[in-house]
């Protein structure tokens, strides 16, 4: 295992980019991922997506996400530590565009770094569909049950929501590694470091969401001025 100083700069790599998986998993994964992508395309807010700087920010986020995943610390086959970026992507662009953007990042990562194309559907489900769905669900719950206030949004979604999305996706990735690759085993220390780093990344996401809410609200699709600021 790498030393603790290195772990402070990273988070979990969740995908199965280099380990062949059974076709009985990959083929249904491809079909389900394609259906999720098509469904997301039907709900893309195209008009808002075309506003000045928004499309450029979305494209830049895909590039940054792909590079972040490559800046990693190796643990074992298809298990690395690095920044996730998934919770921030979903908070910025909402569920449909984040699902599409992260899927493009998975596609780009597979092409650029010689990943296994048969695993593409499984990776999209794990790295795009699940975290974007979880983040959107948490957003709906906070809007329904918590006061409509800017600080509630920043803390409940920008910090705690990011923590739950990154930690939950990391735990799901560990569970899938344990089930699909049982011969490799999972270190308890790796799980502990992943949860600790999900906490650290949540601080970073909360900071960036606050900056975007003030200076670049057009990039923050999940922040509604009328809901969180009007009359406050």
């Amino acid at each position: 295992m790498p030393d603790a100083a290195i772990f402070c700069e990273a988070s979990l790599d969740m995908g199965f980019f280099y380990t062949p998986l059974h076709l009985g998993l990959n083929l249904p994964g491809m079909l389900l991922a394609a259906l999720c992508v098509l469904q997301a395309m039907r709900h893309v807010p195209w008009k808002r997506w075309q506003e000045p700087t928004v499309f450029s920010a979305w494209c830049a986020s895909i590039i940054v996400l792909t590079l972040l995943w490559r800046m990693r610390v190796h643990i074992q086959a298809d298990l690395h530590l690095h920044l996730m970026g998934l919770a921030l992507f979903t908070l910025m662009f909402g569920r449909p565009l984040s699902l599409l953007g992260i899927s493009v990042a998975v596609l780009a990562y597979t092409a650029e770094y010689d990943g296994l194309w048969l695993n593409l559907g499984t990776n999209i489900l794990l790295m795009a569909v699940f975290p974007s769905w979880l983040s959107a669900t948490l957003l709906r719950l906070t809007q329904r049950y918590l006061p409509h206030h800017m600080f509630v949004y920043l803390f409940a979604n920008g910090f705690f929501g990011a923590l739950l999305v990154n930690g939950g996706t990391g735990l799901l990735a560990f569970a899938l590694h344990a089930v699909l690759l049982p011969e490799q085993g999972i270190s308890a220390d790796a799980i502990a470091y992943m949860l600790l780093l999900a906490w650290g990344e949540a601080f970073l996401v909360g900071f960036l969401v606050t900056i975007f809410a003030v200076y670049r609200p057009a990039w923050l699709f999940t922040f509604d001025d009328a809901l969180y600021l009007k009359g406050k």
Side-chain angles (χ1 to χ4, degrees), residues 9-69:
E9 304 173 2
S11 190
L12 177 68
D13 180 1
M14 300 151 299
F16 295 86
F17 288 102
Y18 304 107
T19 303
L21 300 177
H22 195 278
L23 283 178
L25 175 67
N26 279 334
L27 293 181
M30 283 280 194
L31 178 60
L32 183 57
L35 291 176
C36 290
V37 169
L38 290 175
Q39 190 270 346
M41 292 180 66
R42 294 177 55 195
H43 294 87
V44 168
W46 299 106
K47 185 175 181 180
R48 187 171 183 184
W49 194 34
Q50 296 171 5
E51 292 179 1
T53 75
V54 173
F55 179 71
S56 298
W58 184 77
C59 293
S61 298
I62 293 173
I63 297 171
V64 170
L65 201 62
T66 307
L67 295 176
L68 281 178
W69 295 344

Side-chain angles (χ1 to χ4, degrees), residues 165-220:
V165 170
N166 291 335
T169 307
L171 289 174
L172 176 60
F174 275 125
L176 289 177
H177 274 85
V179 171
L180 300 178
L181 306 172
E183 68 281 357
Q184 295 182 6
I186 297 293
S187 168
D189 288 339
I191 298 176
Y193 278 122
M194 183 276 297
L195 294 174
L196 179 63
L197 294 168
W199 175 270
E201 187 173 349
F203 277 99
L204 177 60
V205 173
F207 172 77
L208 291 174
V209 167
T210 303
I211 295 297
F212 293 154
V214 175
Y215 294 104
R216 285 291 185 270
W219 295 359
L220 208 56

Side-chain angles (χ1 to χ4, degrees), residues 48 136 138-154 156-157 220-232:
R48 187 171 183 184
L138 293 173
L139 178 65
R140 287 197 302 269
L141 291 174
T142 58
Q143 290 176 341
R144 181 174 181 180
Y145 294 107
L146 296 180
H148 296 161
H149 195 280
M150 179 176 180
F151 289 103
V152 172
Y153 170 84
L154 295 177
N157 294 286
L220 208 56
F221 281 34
T222 59
F223 183 77
D224 186 351
D225 290 354
L227 184 64
Y228 293 108
L229 294 179
K230 187 176 181 180
K232 303 298 188 294

